[in-house]
Amino acid sequence: MTATLALEDLRLGFYGVEVLRGVSLQIAAGSLTGLIGPNGAGKSTLFNAVTGLYRPTGGSIRFDGADVTGATPDRLVRAGLVRTFQLARGFPKLSVFQHLMLYGRSQPGEGLVAGILGSRAAREREEVLGERALAIARRLRLDHVLDNPVVALSGGQKKLVEIGRALMTEPRLILLDEPMAGVNPTLAEEIAGHLMGLHADGITICLIEHDMGLIRRLCDPVIVLAEGRRLVQGSFEEVVADGRVQEAYLGRRQ
Ligand SMILES: Nc1ncnc2c1ncn2[C@@H]1O[C@H](COP(=O)(O)OP(=O)(O)O)[C@@H](O)[C@H]1O
Ligand SMILES: [Mg+2]
């Protein structure tokens, strides 16, 4: 297996409480890997640690073979590693198009190139970015709301903008934190379709999702995180049949 992402004994604590307690796992290149586990298991924290929002207190992160432990989010995005957030973030007053352009502009050396080469190069770059934003909006079926402020969109459309924002950075690995949570079933299905399309395009995906039906249909393998550690990894059928996984979920419900 070629690993796109390889974590070794990754640790992270808040105020002395260890939330990630030595996570070791690999995400295979080209896979659509599911990341599941009870509430509070540390899934979102793991994404935060991997994408440079939190600095790990121990262990290592390798992306495409390079050690990126402690790298800034910026550097990771440039390397091709991007995440989406559980709640769409950003600048709600900007239009969908402006929003996508903004994230495209934070690409490698954007400001620098414009500054050195002058306005013509900058204009050409803007055109390329604009076309990319349009293509992404079409792909995500956001083209009819391109000029609407993000704040006026439905919850589901905001989730699509969040995916579009990630795509503007031309990622090779996308970490998606519950991209279907709280959206209606039709849109959840549409988002599932987009994820399958990105997967077919060769983008590696790691998906946190609570809906086991979606995980079963979309993801192979599935990794179960519990109490800050990787509990098991396998096909959906394997992990749900595992007694340790059932125990981890039941234990939390009491
Ligand atoms: N910024 C933070 N400060 C303190 N504790 C945090 C912070 N972020 C997460 N935690 C704690 O880490 C644990 C794991 O949270 P989280 O990663 O959000 O779990 P999951 O996404 O699996 O539901 C929880 O106990 C949570 O309260
Ligand atoms: Mg979470």
Coordinates of all heavy atoms in Angstrom, one line a residue, residues 38-45 83 86 177-178 208 210, ligand 2:
P38 N -17.1 6.9 18.4 CA -18.0 7.6 19.3 C -17.7 9.1 19.4 O -16.6 9.5 19.2 CB -17.9 7.0 20.7 CG -17.0 5.8 20.4 CD -16.3 5.9 19.1
N39 N -18.8 9.9 19.8 CA -18.6 11.3 20.0 C -17.4 11.5 21.0 O -17.4 10.8 22.0 CB -19.8 11.9 20.6 CG -20.7 12.5 19.6 OD1 -20.2 13.0 18.5 ND2 -22.0 12.5 19.8
G40 N -16.6 12.5 20.7 CA -15.5 12.8 21.7 C -14.3 11.9 21.5 O -13.3 11.9 22.3
A41 N -14.3 11.0 20.5 CA -13.2 10.0 20.3 C -11.9 10.7 19.9 O -10.8 10.2 20.1 CB -13.6 9.0 19.3
G42 N -12.1 11.9 19.3 CA -10.9 12.7 18.9 C -10.8 12.8 17.4 O -9.7 13.2 16.9
K43 N -11.9 12.5 16.7 CA -11.8 12.5 15.2 C -11.5 13.9 14.7 O -10.6 14.1 13.9 CB -13.1 12.0 14.6 CG -13.5 10.6 15.1 CD -14.8 10.2 14.5 CE -16.0 11.0 14.9 NZ -16.4 10.9 16.4
S44 N -12.3 14.9 15.1 CA -12.0 16.3 14.6 C -10.7 16.8 15.1 O -10.0 17.5 14.3 CB -13.1 17.3 15.1 OG -14.4 16.9 14.6
T45 N -10.3 16.5 16.3 CA -9.0 16.8 16.8 C -7.9 16.2 16.0 O -6.9 16.9 15.7 CB -8.8 16.4 18.3 OG1 -9.9 17.0 19.1 CG2 -7.5 16.8 18.9
R83 N -8.5 20.4 4.5 CA -9.6 19.8 5.2 C -10.8 20.7 5.0 O -10.7 21.9 4.7 CB -9.3 19.8 6.7 CG -9.1 21.1 7.4 CD -9.2 21.0 8.9 NE -10.5 20.6 9.3 CZ -10.9 20.3 10.5 NH1 -10.0 20.3 11.5 NH2 -12.1 20.0 10.8
Q86 N -16.6 21.1 10.1 CA -17.9 20.6 10.4 C -19.0 21.7 10.1 O -20.0 21.4 9.6 CB -17.9 20.2 11.9 CG -18.5 18.8 12.1 CD -18.1 18.4 13.5 OE1 -17.1 18.7 14.1 NE2 -19.0 17.6 14.1
D177 N -14.8 16.6 7.4 CA -15.4 16.5 8.7 C -16.9 16.6 8.6 O -17.4 17.7 8.6 CB -14.8 17.5 9.7 CG -15.0 17.1 11.1 OD1 -15.8 16.1 11.4 OD2 -14.4 17.7 12.0
E178 N -17.6 15.5 8.5 CA -19.1 15.4 8.5 C -19.7 16.4 7.5 O -20.5 17.2 7.8 CB -19.6 15.7 9.9 CG -19.1 14.8 11.0 CD -19.8 14.8 12.3 OE1 -21.0 15.3 12.3 OE2 -19.3 14.5 13.3
I208 N -15.0 11.8 7.8 CA -15.7 11.5 9.1 C -17.2 11.6 8.9 O -17.6 12.6 8.3 CB -15.3 12.6 10.1 CG1 -13.8 12.6 10.4 CG2 -16.1 12.4 11.4 CD1 -13.3 13.7 11.4
H210 N -21.2 10.2 10.6 CA -21.9 9.4 11.6 C -22.9 8.4 11.0 O -23.2 7.4 11.6 CB -22.7 10.3 12.5 CG -21.8 10.9 13.6 ND1 -21.2 10.1 14.5 CD2 -21.5 12.2 13.9 CE1 -20.4 10.9 15.3 NE2 -20.6 12.2 15.0
Ligands
MG2 MG -16.1 16.0 15.5

